[in-house]
Short mmCIF file of all heavy atoms in Angstrom, two decimals:
data_model
loop_
_atom_site.label_atom_id
_atom_site.label_comp_id
_atom_site.label_asym_id
_atom_site.label_seq_id
_atom_site.Cartn_x
_atom_site.Cartn_y
_atom_site.Cartn_z
N ASP A 1009 27.07 -15.05 13.94
CA ASP A 1009 27.87 -13.81 13.96
C ASP A 1009 29.34 -14.06 14.42
O ASP A 1009 30.19 -13.17 14.57
CB ASP A 1009 27.28 -12.79 14.94
CG ASP A 1009 25.86 -12.43 14.51
OD1 ASP A 1009 25.58 -12.32 13.30
OD2 ASP A 1009 24.93 -12.25 15.36
N ILE A 1010 29.60 -15.25 14.91
CA ILE A 1010 30.94 -15.64 15.26
C ILE A 1010 31.81 -15.78 14.05
O ILE A 1010 31.61 -16.78 13.31
CB ILE A 1010 31.04 -16.89 16.19
CG1 ILE A 1010 30.19 -16.69 17.40
CG2 ILE A 1010 32.43 -17.25 16.57
CD1 ILE A 1010 30.09 -17.86 18.34
N GLN A 1011 32.76 -14.86 13.79
CA GLN A 1011 33.55 -14.99 12.59
C GLN A 1011 34.99 -15.32 12.87
O GLN A 1011 35.78 -15.52 11.92
CB GLN A 1011 33.52 -13.59 11.92
CG GLN A 1011 32.20 -13.06 11.49
CD GLN A 1011 31.48 -13.95 10.35
OE1 GLN A 1011 32.24 -14.58 9.65
NE2 GLN A 1011 30.22 -13.99 10.34
N ILE A 1012 35.38 -15.47 14.12
CA ILE A 1012 36.73 -15.78 14.39
C ILE A 1012 36.97 -17.33 14.25
O ILE A 1012 35.99 -18.02 14.36
CB ILE A 1012 37.10 -15.32 15.79
CG1 ILE A 1012 36.16 -15.86 16.78
CG2 ILE A 1012 37.27 -13.78 15.89
CD1 ILE A 1012 36.62 -15.59 18.26
N PRO A 1013 38.25 -17.76 14.11
CA PRO A 1013 38.51 -19.17 14.10
C PRO A 1013 37.92 -19.87 15.40
O PRO A 1013 38.18 -19.35 16.42
CB PRO A 1013 40.01 -19.30 14.02
CG PRO A 1013 40.43 -17.94 13.53
CD PRO A 1013 39.44 -16.97 14.00
N THR A 1014 37.21 -20.96 15.14
CA THR A 1014 36.54 -21.61 16.31
C THR A 1014 36.72 -23.08 16.21
O THR A 1014 36.60 -23.70 15.14
CB THR A 1014 35.03 -21.29 16.34
OG1 THR A 1014 34.86 -19.86 16.41
CG2 THR A 1014 34.36 -21.93 17.62
N GLN A 1015 37.16 -23.65 17.31
CA GLN A 1015 37.25 -25.10 17.45
C GLN A 1015 36.19 -25.62 18.44
O GLN A 1015 36.10 -25.14 19.59
CB GLN A 1015 38.68 -25.49 17.93
CG GLN A 1015 38.88 -26.95 18.26
CD GLN A 1015 38.96 -27.81 16.95
OE1 GLN A 1015 39.73 -27.52 16.06
NE2 GLN A 1015 38.17 -28.85 16.88
N VAL A 1016 35.33 -26.55 17.99
CA VAL A 1016 34.35 -27.20 18.88
C VAL A 1016 34.85 -28.64 19.18
O VAL A 1016 35.32 -29.38 18.23
CB VAL A 1016 32.99 -27.18 18.25
CG1 VAL A 1016 31.93 -27.80 19.11
CG2 VAL A 1016 32.59 -25.76 17.88
N ILE A 1017 34.80 -29.03 20.47
CA ILE A 1017 35.29 -30.37 20.82
C ILE A 1017 34.13 -31.02 21.67
O ILE A 1017 33.46 -30.35 22.53
CB ILE A 1017 36.54 -30.26 21.67
CG1 ILE A 1017 37.59 -29.56 20.92
CG2 ILE A 1017 36.98 -31.60 22.23
CD1 ILE A 1017 38.91 -29.31 21.73
N CYS A 1018 33.96 -32.32 21.49
CA CYS A 1018 32.96 -33.04 22.32
C CYS A 1018 33.41 -34.51 22.44
O CYS A 1018 33.89 -35.12 21.50
CB CYS A 1018 31.61 -32.98 21.47
SG CYS A 1018 30.24 -33.78 22.40
N GLY A 1019 33.22 -35.03 23.69
CA GLY A 1019 33.53 -36.46 23.84
C GLY A 1019 32.41 -37.37 23.30
O GLY A 1019 31.27 -36.97 23.28
N THR A 1020 32.85 -38.53 22.68
CA THR A 1020 31.86 -39.39 22.02
C THR A 1020 30.74 -39.78 23.02
O THR A 1020 29.56 -40.00 22.60
CB THR A 1020 32.43 -40.72 21.60
OG1 THR A 1020 33.71 -40.86 22.06
CG2 THR A 1020 32.22 -41.06 20.12
N HIS A 1021 31.07 -39.93 24.27
CA HIS A 1021 30.10 -40.39 25.26
C HIS A 1021 29.68 -39.39 26.20
O HIS A 1021 29.17 -39.57 27.31
CB HIS A 1021 30.74 -41.52 26.11
CG HIS A 1021 31.22 -42.60 25.25
ND1 HIS A 1021 30.46 -43.52 24.57
CD2 HIS A 1021 32.57 -43.07 25.02
CE1 HIS A 1021 31.18 -44.36 23.84
NE2 HIS A 1021 32.48 -44.13 24.10
#
Side-chain angles (χ1 to χ4, degrees):
D1009 302 323
I1010 300 179
Q1011 298 296 335
I1012 54 172
T1014 302
Q1015 174 71 53
V1016 181
I1017 301 175
C1018 182
T1020 5
H1021 305 293

